[in-house]
Amino acid sequence: MFTQTLKERVLGSGLVDLLTGPHGVDRYTEQLDPTWTLGEARAKVVDVRRTTPRSVTMTLRPNAAFDRGVKAGQYINVTVDVDGRRHTRCYSPANAEGSPFLELTVGRHDGGVVSSHLYEHAQPGMVVGLAGVGGDFVLPAPRPRRILFVSGGSGITPVMAMLRTLVAEGHTGEVAFVHYARNPAEACYRDELAAMPHVRVLHGYTRSGDGDLDGRFGAEHLAAAMPSPDAVFVCGPKALVDAVREHCDNVYTESFVAPTFEVPAEPSGGRVTFADSGIEVVDDGRPLLEQAEAAGLTPQSGCRMGICHTCTRRKTCGVVRNLTTGAVSTVAGEDVQICVSVPVGDVDIAL
């Protein structure tokens, strides 16, 4: 059997690439093993655990094409095929930096196509696509001495990556962690957190009175966890992030909830042309991604909140406005994120 190094050397040789053209070596090697690809990052699921009623934890072994320089707290784009259609979503791994494996804990959301599919069907041997490592929700260097982590629901995953990284590094400072879940059964990583050395862990349960903390995050919760921390890292719903910002300084944030956009009472009414498909619609004020889907198109997308850039398309002409930043794109031939961009008059999109 090929060793990993020998396999990569053979598959990456110019002669093999010439012999397998025009499709490339990946189209042939993936018939033997879907992860034997040099140009596409993929991972095989090697372990699956369903430790809560609404989540699934998967351990993945990435192939050599994957960029392993993921920092604790960053996200990756995960691609799965559901009913013959390819879907991409961004998830934050929960493993410590430098691990040869990725650990993804996916919370099942009502109506969530990808999360429901993974919760119901993930099993060892499943292969998923990987791409687009990014995000600036990371630990600074040097590490702060007194760190407070706060998370809600599935926002626990990037925080777990940071906690595990600090433990692996032998961080000698003070660390506290406040996690909010609906009830004890849905609190991920409870046993591991209880045994984690040198970390003060407090749970708050929003639909149960069994936690260490009652109610929502506020001054009392801050005082119980860590008064006057040097740095605060919070990931969760917008209401939680806002509450932490109100009571803390030096806050690093990540919100996993897609923003909601109000359709304007008077949309531009301009002509929106999806040039590659020959489809033209009248602007109704919604983001270009939603208008494309309403027209029967199936553009690739991921986070749907302007983070992962999976939905980026070329604007060949016209003007669009980014709903998250307010920036206006007027230059022809500019790439825009269609999940958070709305037309300002006529616009042509390469889609």
Side-chain angles (χ1 to χ4, degrees), residues 261-321:
F261 305 122
E262 292 186 5
V263 177
E266 297 183 4
S268 74
R271 172 188 49 79
V272 179
T273 301
F274 302 109
D276 295 351
S277 306
I279 294 176
E280 183 176 306
V281 299
V282 176
D283 173 38
D284 61 13
R286 291 181 295 170
L288 285 163
L289 174 60
E290 294 184 25
Q291 297 196 52
E293 291 173 336
L297 300 177
T298 57
Q300 190 174 9
S301 65
C303 67
R304 304 180 78 93
M305 56 194 297
I307 295 177
C308 71
H309 295 270
T310 303
C311 70
T312 299
R313 293 293 183 273
R314 179 62 54 88
K315 174 179 63 69
T316 54
C317 66
V319 180
V320 301
R321 178 170 57 87

Side-chain angles (χ1 to χ4, degrees), residues 204-218:
Y205 301 122
T206 58
R207 300 186 184 180
S208 168
D210 302 326
D212 305 298
L213 303 168
D214 292 326
R216 310 286 176 166
F217 184 89

Side-chain angles (χ1 to χ4, degrees), residues 135-223:
D136 55 7
F137 185 63
V138 297
L139 291 165
R143 309 304 195 208
R145 291 290 301 168
R146 302 180 70 252
I147 307 174
L148 173 62
F149 295 100
V150 183
S151 67
S154 57
I156 194 174
T157 53
V159 171
M160 283 301 300
M162 293 179 177
L163 287 170
R164 287 168 164 173
T165 297
L166 290 174
V167 170
E169 292 175 348
H171 182 264
T172 57
E174 187 178 352
V175 178
F177 177 36
V178 177
H179 178 62
Y180 297 93
R182 299 198 295 188
N183 53 60
E186 296 185 19
C188 299
Y189 299 106
R190 283 181 63 198
D191 293 341
E192 180 180 349
L193 287 168
M196 190 169 283
H198 311 300
V199 178
R200 176 173 172 75
V201 179
L202 298 173
H203 281 93
Y205 301 122
T206 58
R207 300 186 184 180
S208 168
D210 302 326
D212 305 298
L213 303 168
D214 292 326
R216 310 286 176 166
F217 184 89
E220 292 184 1
H221 291 195
L222 176 62

Side-chain angles (χ1 to χ4, degrees), residues 68-89:
R68 297 173 185 270
V70 184
K71 294 182 179 180
Q74 289 189 304
Y75 64 81
I76 58 175
N77 290 327
V78 178
T79 300
V80 297
D81 291 327
V82 182
D83 297 330
R85 181 179 174 185
R86 184 158 294 183
H87 298 261
T88 302
R89 297 291 184 269

